[in-house]
Amino acid sequence: MKKCFINGTGCVSSQKTINTAFLEEIIINENDNIFDVSQPDYKEFIAPAAARRMAKGVKNGIVASASAIKEAGAENLDAIITGTGMGCSVDSEKFLKALIDNKEEFLTPTSFIQSTHNTVGGQIAIGLQCKAYNFTYVNGAVSFESSLIDAKMQIEADEATRILVGGVEESSENTLKFLQLSGVIKNKDQSPYSLLDSDTNGTVFSEGAVFFVLENEKKETTYAELKDVSVYNILEKEELEAKLKLFLNQNSLSSTDIDAVVLGYNGDAGFDDYYATLAKGVFATIPQVYYKHLSGEFNTASAFGLWVASHIIKMQQIPHVLKVNTVEVKDYKNILLYNQYRGYDHSFTLISKC
């Protein structure tokens, strides 16, 4: 069975993560409950005339994927696999608004066509003239992990040698209003928003696009080996540790073999106890990492977490801004990522030093 290596990454986020070194320019924002994405120079990647017709999620996806492909030197792809929870929500809102304003008459289909969840994957393929396998997973907060599982299985089964896989979300005005009304996003009067010691419900929200090139061979650009990914729709806090041990056992590891754990703390006091269960229990004595204070929360924010973990493995150090505790180790061989969203869509992702 072939191994699966992360050979290229590209990230568009609320941080300056395009054409910069890993977290070289960090913005710590504890005053806003919604983070704006740090827009790259789209002209470097997309013709201005084409960019004007694209939603920001599509543009960010193209930039992130192009960066990953360039870094990996991956000219010919065997598949493009995308994960998204909300899809192109800006165009979805445009179409629905036109539907209401025009009383369901005289509608143009443009916004509807561009609002479908597979728009990002399709536009990437068009730009690359790639006619290979192209699939989009829409599985809530495990949309990105579902894409990883598909890609990993294809590479291990020798059905593909080079796959572009990523997660994309874009925020839209009305959707954000609904999320605030429902309590998913923290209230504006609750700042400063410190995610680690939060005692309020809700989270800080954002958007982003993160892509990876997965291949069956190790190269000079290799970050890490993707060992395993597992998802669970529902897990109780009491069974979390047992599921974790089962996941590690399946990879011939125990909790003592993990050198760092990347946790998806998002400041929601109602659900961050899941992370605290592991942080205060089985992983109390190893380095702990968090990242959503930099990226914000969104359905595929775990892709940003994998981007962080991949750089930690490659650089063999954890930037201070990511540290939950002060524990240090000499060698980062195995890193585990754990994420969940409001008590559902739990995922474990394991990567290892090559």
Side-chain angles (χ1 to χ4, degrees):
M1 190 166 65
K2 297 285 186 177
K3 292 184 177 181
C4 182
F5 298 97
I6 299 172
N7 287 347
T9 70
C11 178
V12 176
S13 69
S14 55
Q15 302 294 322
K16 295 180 180 180
T17 46
I18 289 292
N19 294 331
T20 62
F22 175 54
L23 298 182
E24 182 180 44
E25 300 180 47
I26 299 169
I27 301 170
I28 303 296
N29 185 350
E30 294 188 344
N31 298 316
D32 296 323
N33 59 349
I34 298 172
F35 297 164
D36 293 326
V37 73
S38 177
Q39 294 188 2
D41 186 358
Y42 295 120
K43 297 191 296 293
E44 291 184 21
F45 303 88
I46 312 168
R52 283 195 294 270
R53 298 191 297 271
M54 292 179 180
K56 56 182 176 178
V58 175
K59 290 190 288 187
N60 291 337
I62 290 174
V63 171
S65 62
S67 298
I69 291 169
K70 181 180 179 180
E71 182 177 36
E75 296 181 358
N76 300 309
L77 298 173
D78 297 317
I80 298 171
I81 308 175
T82 311
T84 180
M86 297 293 290
C88 298
S89 54
V90 173
D91 280 300
S92 296
E93 288 188 6
K94 284 182 182 178
F95 180 75
L96 291 172
K97 186 177 186 300
L99 195 71
I100 295 168
D101 292 346
N102 294 287
K103 299 179 181 179
E104 303 183 22
E105 296 178 337
F106 313 117
L107 295 171
T108 58
T110 305
S111 292
F112 176 76
I113 293 168
Q114 294 177 340
S115 72
T116 56
H117 290 72
N118 58 1
T119 300
V120 177
Q123 287 292 335
I124 292 172
I126 290 171
L128 297 173
Q129 290 296 294
C130 176
K131 300 178 177 63
Y133 176 93
N134 196 312
F135 204 88
T136 299
Y137 284 89
V138 187
N139 291 353
V142 290
S143 299
F144 171 65
E145 285 80 1
S146 301
S147 303
L148 277 182
I149 291 170
D150 186 352
K152 183 173 179 293
M153 289 175 65
Q154 289 196 47
I155 287 177
E156 289 180 343
D158 210 16
E159 295 179 2
T161 60
R162 185 179 298 113
I163 297 178
L164 178 71
V165 59
V168 182
E169 301 295 342
E170 69 175 15
S171 56
S172 53
E173 182 180 359
N174 288 303
T175 300
L176 290 174
K177 287 180 180 178
F178 294 142
L179 291 173
Q180 290 184 75
L181 286 171
S182 65
V184 171
I185 298 177
K186 289 185 182 296
N187 294 330
K188 292 183 178 180
D189 59 358
Q190 293 176 337
S191 64
Y193 307 104
S194 180
L195 302 193
L196 282 185
D197 54 5
S198 171
D199 58 0
T200 58
N201 293 330
T203 183
V204 293
F205 226 74
S206 191
E207 58 188 342
V210 188
F211 275 82
F212 303 85
V213 172
L214 304 183
E215 297 183 272
N216 64 353
E217 294 181 353
K218 181 182 175 182
K219 299 164 60 174
E220 288 185 5
T221 61
T222 296
Y223 284 80
E225 179 186 351
L226 178 63
K227 298 286 287 188
D228 201 2
V229 184
S230 189
V231 299
Y232 309 88
N233 179 237
I234 299 174
L235 276 182
E236 300 296 333
K237 295 184 186 74
E238 295 74 23
E239 58 182 339
L240 182 59
E241 192 168 317
K243 288 292 186 182
L244 168 65
K245 289 180 179 179
L246 177 62
F247 174 77
L248 294 176
N249 288 338
Q250 290 171 347
N251 290 278
S252 302
L253 297 173
S254 68
S255 58
T256 57
D257 296 312
I258 302 301
D259 302 298
V261 59
V262 180
L263 301 168
Y265 283 109
N266 67 3
D268 192 330
F271 302 99
D272 272 359
D273 280 351
Y274 279 96
Y275 303 116
T277 298
L278 298 182
K280 296 177 181 178
V282 66
F283 292 135
T285 60
I286 70 167
Q288 299 168 13
V289 174
Y290 76 132
Y291 57 91
K292 289 179 183 175
H293 61 307
L294 301 181
S295 70
E297 177 68 283
F298 48 94
N299 278 317
T300 53
S302 55
F304 187 89
L306 181 60
W307 179 80
V308 163
S310 300
H311 279 81
I312 290 173
I313 287 256
K314 189 170 187 176
M315 298 172 61
Q316 287 294 296
Q317 63 179 3
I318 301 174
H320 181 74
V321 70
L322 300 172
K323 293 182 178 181
V324 176
N325 58 13
T326 58
V327 181
E328 301 277 355
V329 298
K330 293 181 178 180
D331 191 14
Y332 295 99
K333 295 180 180 178
N334 299 306
I335 294 183
L336 176 80
L337 296 91
Y338 168 57
N339 190 62
Q340 55 83 27
Y341 184 69
R342 297 181 66 80
Y344 294 93
D345 293 343
H346 303 259
S347 65
F348 293 123
T349 303
L350 177 65
I351 62 173
S352 297
K353 180 181 176 181
C354 299

